[in-house]
Amino acid sequence: MAMPYVWRGIDGQYLEATIAAVGGAAGAATVPTGASSVVVTHGLARTPTFVTVSPRAAPTMGAPTYAELAAGTVFQQFYVDTVGATQFTLHTTRNVAVDLPFDWITF
């Protein structure tokens, strides 16, 4: 029996879905202090067609450079790439100053 994954929405309502029942997987990963990526093993029997990630906390990073200030790119961003049959890679645009936990869902 698959365990339900509970997602709390902005409106305070709880949305429960048994991700595994529809062929997906869910979990958590952490980009460690000083790093800008983490490889995540998703556990699906195939390459997912959908991956979403959500940080659990506001990203903390070092002081922005002059070029970042001038370009207006001082905010931490994140993205997923290298999605494969067993893993995907979660990246941040800058090294994180403290561990940055994420929740993820794949289908």
Side-chain angles (χ1 to χ4, degrees):
M1 181 174 168
M3 295 300 295
Y5 184 81
V6 179
W7 188 312
R8 183 175 177 140
I10 295 171
D11 60 0
Q13 298 296 312
Y14 286 93
L15 171 64
E16 294 188 29
T18 305
I19 301 297
V22 293
T30 299
V31 178
T33 301
S36 62
S37 67
V38 62
V39 176
V40 179
T41 300
H42 54 68
L44 293 178
R46 59 175 169 71
T47 300
T49 56
F50 172 83
V51 178
T52 186
V53 295
S54 179
R56 289 189 198 167
T60 303
M61 56 190 174
T65 66
Y66 177 77
E68 289 170 326
L69 287 170
T73 57
V74 297
F75 297 104
Q76 183 71 281
Q77 297 173 349
F78 53 92
Y79 62 96
V80 171
D81 71 0
T82 320
V83 179
T86 59
Q87 299 174 321
F88 62 86
T89 304
L90 169 59
H91 298 271
T92 57
T93 53
R94 299 179 60 191
N95 291 351
V96 297
V98 297
D99 286 357
L100 180 56
F102 283 84
D103 290 317
W104 57 265
I105 298 174
T106 59
F107 289 100

